[in-house]
Structure formats: C-alpha cells, structure tokens
Amino acid sequence: MAETQFGVAVYPEATQHAGTTKFLKEGLGVDGVAYQTKDPASAVIEFYKSQDGIREIFVSDESAMFRKGDEVDVTVQSPWMDMDTGKLMQDCLISIVKR
C-alpha cells in the first residue's frame, strides 16, 4: 500500500526531505510534508494527474500544482531551491500541504 499524506498518495519511492518539511511548518506555518525523488518532474506530474479526486491547478514542464478538495495542495518542482543550503537542486520536490 502506498503511503498517503492528508489523503493524497505520496509518489512511489519518494523520500521525505526533512529540511523542506521543517521550512513548511516553521518558516511558512503550514501543515505539510515535502518529499523528493530522482524521477523527472514529468513522471511525477503524470502520477498526480492520474489520481482520483485531484484536479490540476497549474501544469508546466518543470512544475505543477494540484488540489484535492478545498484543503490539500500538491506542488511539484524541478529544479528547486534547498532552503537549508541555498543550493539549486536538480531532482524533483513534492510538497503536500493542508491549508
């Protein structure tokens, strides 16, 4: 069974990114979890496009935003900025946030 966060499936084999999760909670004050994967953004975007109950808000080649209901947002980004190190990361970041 796939892991879920706020009723949204977490992309398979994505791992939690502790620094960005901390930034979401402490820096932005939202209830959320960030994950990263080496898979391309296009694969992650297609995964979320195929999920029941999730609608597209915005989709491009490098990023996307999806919403489940009126409370949960899923953001996909590649590349993305690691807030701990300031380094531009080339893998894919997935943020699942309950608004």
Side-chain angles (χ1 to χ4, degrees), residues 5 7 13-14 17-19 22 27 31 38 40 42-43 52 56 65 69 78 83 85 87-88 98:
Q5 187 67 44
E13 298 185 32
H17 188 271
K22 181 178 177 182
D31 190 6
K38 294 184 187 300
S42 59
D52 288 335
E56 295 177 31
M65 182 175 182
S78 180
M83 300 307 285
T85 65
K87 182 179 176 185
L88 186 62
K98 186 172 183 179

Side-chain angles (χ1 to χ4, degrees), residues 19-87:
T20 303
T21 297
K22 181 178 177 182
F23 176 75
L24 289 171
K25 292 179 181 198
E26 296 177 9
L28 298 179
V30 296
D31 190 6
V33 180
Y35 298 88
Q36 68 186 116
T37 179
K38 294 184 187 300
D39 289 353
S42 59
V44 178
I45 291 167
E46 287 304 315
F47 172 80
Y48 283 105
K49 278 183 175 182
S50 72
Q51 298 298 303
D52 288 335
I54 293 184
R55 67 185 186 279
E56 295 177 31
I57 302 299
F58 169 82
V59 175
S60 75
D61 291 340
E62 297 180 337
S63 64
M65 182 175 182
F66 300 92
R67 184 161 292 151
K68 180 169 184 174
D70 291 327
E71 295 185 347
V72 180
D73 290 336
V74 179
T75 306
V76 177
Q77 303 172 75
S78 180
W80 60 280
M81 181 72 66
D82 186 321
M83 300 307 285
D84 283 339
T85 65
K87 182 179 176 185

